[in-house]
Amino acid sequence: MMRMLGYRLLQAGLVALLVGGLTFVMMRSLPGDSAYRIAAGRYGYDHVDAAAASAVQQELGLDRPAWQALADWFIELLRFNPGNSLVSGAPVMQEIGHQLGQSLLLAAAALLLSLLLGPPLGLIAGLFPGGKLDRMLLAISTALRALPHFVLGLILVLVFALGLGFLPAAGYGDAEHLLLPALTLALGLAAVSSRVARNAMRQVTDSDWYHFGRSKGLNERTLFWRHGLRNASVPLVTYLSVQFIYLIEGVIVVETLFAWPGIGHALVHAIFARDVPVIQGTALIMGLLFVLLNALSDGLCYWLDPRRHNHDK
């Protein structure tokens, strides 16, 4: 366990280096005048001229060598300070603090919905392979997984917001505003988690030790709850840890589509405004969040796997 934690700490450090460096280089490589974009983010495009852009360039030192600006960012990062926004002047962590909370709320709601939809159906399908539920679940999960986030989100808006009028098409404030963006993310996750759960359950029920449990007289309910579920959950948790990247990537698209005030939405606006410290800080938070979630997943798999418990004894 300690070795795993040390590996994750090393991974977090590499993420900070790579994310900071790559985002900086990519933003510097974009065409256009960065000073003009930043000035437009401050004052609005209708109130920006060459003089305002020149003043912003001198104030922020945008004419400094790129290596010097990147080195200054890394030095400040060692002090746990990712800098200040070039547009608002506020600390980056203050800028993205509120948005991060909203993104975590959306991601948690999506993950909860996916766990309620996908794994239970997959486990049932795995207990009865080849049945009607199994075949229907395969067709639905294949169709859902093939749809991009924005297409699936638009379909849900057309059906539930514009067609039926049950839910708002976009916005933020009430719990009902959370449902459509969370469902958009959850359906993609549930589509694959149902198949992973189904295959894991099928592998468990086909194992020799599961058949041995039957021969001892254990009924199907006892076999499932005491032995089958825990063994089938290990590959499912492993899959979910891999799919965290799918969730983090999807948050950016879904937040923009539904005007959800999260970290992905803030990242898009920061890119348009060329607010490099906010972009670097946002990308860094998302990368470190991915490392943290993977570490939690490793610990959960260790706790769930019966073979490791037997080995420890």
Side-chain angles (χ1 to χ4, degrees), residues 115-180:
L115 291 176
L116 292 175
L117 294 172
L121 292 174
L123 291 173
I124 297 173
L127 291 172
F128 306 99
K132 290 183 179 180
L133 176 63
D134 190 18
R135 296 195 299 270
M136 182 175 65
L137 197 62
L138 175 60
I140 294 174
S141 63
T142 302
L144 287 175
R145 195 64 181 91
L147 291 174
H149 290 111
F150 71 92
V151 175
L152 183 56
L154 288 174
I155 292 174
L156 293 178
V157 168
L158 289 174
V159 173
F160 292 103
L162 301 181
L164 300 175
F166 290 161
L167 297 168
Y172 165 76
D174 299 324
E176 60 184 9
H177 290 99
L178 177 63
L179 190 54
L180 277 184

Side-chain angles (χ1 to χ4, degrees), residues 97-112:
H98 175 71
Q99 289 90 345
L100 177 61
Q102 297 305 318
S103 291
L104 292 178
L105 174 63
L106 175 58
L111 190 59
L112 178 61

Side-chain angles (χ1 to χ4, degrees), residues 111 114-115 189 193 235-244 297:
L111 190 59
S114 72
L115 291 176
L189 287 171
S193 65
L236 181 60
V237 171
T238 303
Y239 156 75
L240 288 174
S241 69
V242 175
Q243 288 302 297
F244 284 139
S297 172

Side-chain angles (χ1 to χ4, degrees), residues 62-260:
L62 298 179
D63 54 351
R64 292 183 302 162
W67 67 266
Q68 184 179 352
L70 182 60
D72 290 344
W73 185 81
F74 278 123
I75 291 173
E76 290 299 316
L77 189 62
L78 292 175
R79 301 171 183 168
F80 300 98
N81 175 28
N84 297 325
S85 168
L86 301 182
V87 175
S88 68
V92 168
M93 293 308 299
Q94 179 181 322
E95 284 279 306
I96 65 178
H98 175 71
Q99 289 90 345
L100 177 61
Q102 297 305 318
S103 291
L104 292 178
L105 174 63
L106 175 58
L111 190 59
L112 178 61
L113 283 175
S114 72
L115 291 176
L116 292 175
L117 294 172
L121 292 174
L123 291 173
I124 297 173
L127 291 172
F128 306 99
K132 290 183 179 180
L133 176 63
D134 190 18
R135 296 195 299 270
M136 182 175 65
L137 197 62
L138 175 60
I140 294 174
S141 63
T142 302
L144 287 175
R145 195 64 181 91
L147 291 174
H149 290 111
F150 71 92
V151 175
L152 183 56
L154 288 174
I155 292 174
L156 293 178
V157 168
L158 289 174
V159 173
F160 292 103
L162 301 181
L164 300 175
F166 290 161
L167 297 168
Y172 165 76
D174 299 324
E176 60 184 9
H177 290 99
L178 177 63
L179 190 54
L180 277 184
L183 188 59
T184 302
L185 290 170
L187 288 176
L189 287 171
V192 185
S193 65
S194 64
R195 302 309 300 170
V196 173
R198 182 264 184 198
N199 293 334
M201 195 69 238
R202 177 70 186 276
Q203 186 177 7
V204 168
T205 56
D206 287 344
S207 64
D208 292 337
W209 57 265
Y210 203 84
H211 290 298
F212 178 70
R214 283 200 187 104
S215 67
K216 288 175 59 179
L218 296 176
N219 58 47
E220 291 295 328
R221 184 174 182 177
T222 302
L223 272 173
F224 175 77
W225 287 108
R226 289 191 179 181
H227 305 287
L229 183 60
R230 183 163 189 165
N231 284 276
S233 64
V234 174
L236 181 60
V237 171
T238 303
Y239 156 75
L240 288 174
S241 69
V242 175
Q243 288 302 297
F244 284 139
I245 187 65
Y246 171 90
L247 187 60
I248 293 172
E249 171 194 349
V251 160
I252 299 176
V253 177
V254 169
E255 286 180 353
T256 304
L257 177 63
F258 290 96
W260 184 262

Side-chain angles (χ1 to χ4, degrees), residues 275-286:
D275 198 345
V276 177
V278 172
I279 297 169
Q280 288 176 298
T282 304
L284 179 62
I285 290 292
M286 295 173 75

